[in-house]
Amino acid sequence: MPVRAILKTHEDSMTKTVQFLEDEFRGVRTGRASTGLVENMKIDYYGSMTPLKQMASLSIAEATQILIKPFDPSSVKNIEKAIKTSDLGLTPMADGGTIRLPIPPLSEERRQKIAAQLKQMAEQQKIAIRNIRRDANKQLDDEEKSKVITEDDRDKGKKDIDDMTKKYSDQIDNILKDKIKEVMEE
């Protein structure tokens, strides 16, 4: 496999890792309402675990409240139950065929815990990025040993992989910094 193909494959993996982190961060509670908090929550819907965003329209009623309008009004109880049993610590209020989900302000202690949780999530993705680098370097070494690429190509490929690793690790750091700032704001 040529060096360019190896780099492309592993860069795609790194991009997916960063996107995964962004998706994970969308589900982390901050001081204000965000539909990302509940949209991927799984709800028992006629025996099948279904993401909430496929069962209801989600909107922000005001800065501190999420409005959930189920497409099937009979699913209100199941949605309420799933929110109550989740680790979000939120109490849904059923209002006819809709559910109002008030987002109370976070205490300073809770903000600190969320920030620590965010750092841990980001570190896991940085480890994944480094593992991708390790796999790419191994693949470059294997290709050079089997005489598919030259030693110079391998060395240049390794340098490119290191640059790519730094680029994506920096992206993760920036995403983390922005999310922590969002959590710590009142």
Side-chain angles (χ1 to χ4, degrees), residues 4 12 20 48 50 59 75 81 90 93 127 143 145:
R4 195 173 323 157
D12 290 346
F20 175 80
S48 164
T50 310
S59 60
S75 65
K81 181 182 174 191
L90 300 174
M93 296 183 305
I127 290 169
E143 294 291 316
K145 278 182 189 161

Side-chain angles (χ1 to χ4, degrees), residues 25 118-119 122 172-181:
F25 277 7
L118 291 170
K119 288 176 186 173
I172 288 173
D173 287 339
N174 290 333
I175 293 167
L176 174 64
K177 186 177 79 176
D178 292 345
K179 189 65 174 185
I180 287 177
K181 182 180 176 200

Side-chain angles (χ1 to χ4, degrees), residues 52-154:
L52 181 57
K53 65 183 174 188
Q54 293 179 7
M55 296 176 57
S57 69
L58 305 170
S59 60
I60 305 300
E62 43 193 79
T64 59
Q65 190 176 80
I66 299 172
L67 189 63
I68 303 168
K69 292 182 183 172
F71 302 132
D72 177 5
S74 67
S75 65
V76 169
K77 291 285 184 216
N78 290 352
I79 294 171
E80 248 188 313
K81 181 182 174 191
I83 293 170
K84 283 179 183 174
T85 58
S86 73
D87 61 353
L88 290 175
L90 300 174
T91 307
M93 296 183 305
D95 182 16
T98 63
I99 298 172
R100 294 185 183 282
L101 192 58
I103 311 292
L106 297 171
S107 67
E108 189 61 33
E109 180 183 342
R110 183 76 178 125
R111 289 176 196 276
Q112 296 294 337
K113 285 182 181 176
I114 291 172
Q117 180 186 4
L118 291 170
K119 288 176 186 173
Q120 188 175 20
M121 293 163 75
E123 186 55 37
Q124 288 172 347
Q125 297 314 309
K126 286 172 88 172
I127 290 169
I129 295 279
R130 291 192 295 268
N131 288 340
I132 293 167
R133 177 186 63 191
R134 183 197 62 219
D135 294 345
N137 284 338
K138 183 179 181 325
Q139 191 173 0
L140 288 167
D141 287 338
D142 292 345
E143 294 291 316
E144 192 265 330
K145 278 182 189 161
S146 59
K147 305 285 188 227
V148 175
I149 62 174
T150 66
E151 194 175 324
D152 289 343
D153 287 343
R154 180 200 65 194

Side-chain angles (χ1 to χ4, degrees), residues 26-65:
R26 262 188 228 110
V28 174
R29 185 173 158 205
T30 62
R32 55 187 167 230
S34 165
T35 58
L37 208 53
V38 293
E39 67 185 15
N40 291 317
M41 184 179 286
K42 302 282 190 216
I43 313 294
D44 184 12
Y45 187 62
Y46 294 110
S48 164
M49 296 310 278
T50 310
L52 181 57
K53 65 183 174 188
Q54 293 179 7
M55 296 176 57
S57 69
L58 305 170
S59 60
I60 305 300
E62 43 193 79
T64 59
Q65 190 176 80

Side-chain angles (χ1 to χ4, degrees), residues 1-19:
M1 182 183 274
V3 174
R4 195 173 323 157
I6 293 171
L7 294 175
K8 177 79 175 111
T9 302
H10 290 85
E11 184 169 25
D12 290 346
S13 297
M14 289 183 184
T15 301
K16 287 177 185 168
T17 302
V18 171
Q19 287 170 345

